[in-house]
Amino acid sequence: QVQLVESGGGLVQAGGSLRLSCAASGSIFSINDMGWYRQAPGEQRELVAVITSGGSTNYGDSVKGRFTISRDNARNSVYLQMNSLKSEDTAVYYCKGSGILTAQGLRFMTGDYWGQGTQVTVSS
């Protein structure tokens, strides 16, 4: 089965930086899109950044110019470099893989999977 494991969250002061990592494991043949989402207390989950298998990126308006998403297809991993962090960035950050192609025996399946989330706290 597919599992997405995140790392890199923690506490950082405003203006600082963090780098989040997420690695997908399992019998994976390919992953279409990989992305980061976040959810602050009492708020809806929102898109932070997404990157396609070809390397095209898209960012939420609130993080443009500050965050950078990247991926390593050989490692089935996605990263989020977060710079100039603000208190408003405090949230649980979730990794998502879309269109993950796996095989079990002769049966192929495609699905979307989420990581467990990692806490990012930005102090003022």
Side-chain angles (χ1 to χ4, degrees), residues 2 10 22 31 33-34 40 57 64 78 82 96-97 99 101 122:
V2 174
C22 173
I31 304 174
D33 299 340
M34 301 191 78
T57 59
K64 287 179 179 177
V78 62
M82 304 185 293
K96 182 185 179 183
L101 178 64
V122 183

Side-chain angles (χ1 to χ4, degrees), residues 35-98:
W36 291 94
Y37 298 74
R38 68 186 183 187
Q39 187 168 20
E43 299 185 2
Q44 299 276 62
R45 189 171 299 186
E46 65 174 341
L47 171 71
V48 177
V50 64
I51 183 168
T52 70
S53 59
S56 298
T57 59
N58 189 41
Y59 296 90
D61 289 340
S62 63
V63 307
K64 287 179 179 177
R66 299 188 298 121
F67 292 8
T68 303
I69 189 171
S70 61
R71 67 188 287 172
D72 184 341
N73 291 335
R75 291 178 165 84
N76 289 323
S77 298
V78 62
Y79 310 92
L80 185 69
Q81 179 66 47
M82 304 185 293
N83 298 327
S84 301
L85 283 162
K86 307 173 181 178
S87 60
E88 305 95 281
D89 297 317
T90 295
V92 177
Y93 284 70
Y94 297 90
C95 174
K96 182 185 179 183
S98 299

Side-chain angles (χ1 to χ4, degrees), residues 4-8 21-23 36 93-96 114-118:
L4 275 63
V5 179
E6 300 158 327
S7 62
S21 300
C22 173
W36 291 94
Y93 284 70
Y94 297 90
C95 174
K96 182 185 179 183
W114 290 88
Q116 77 287 347
T118 185

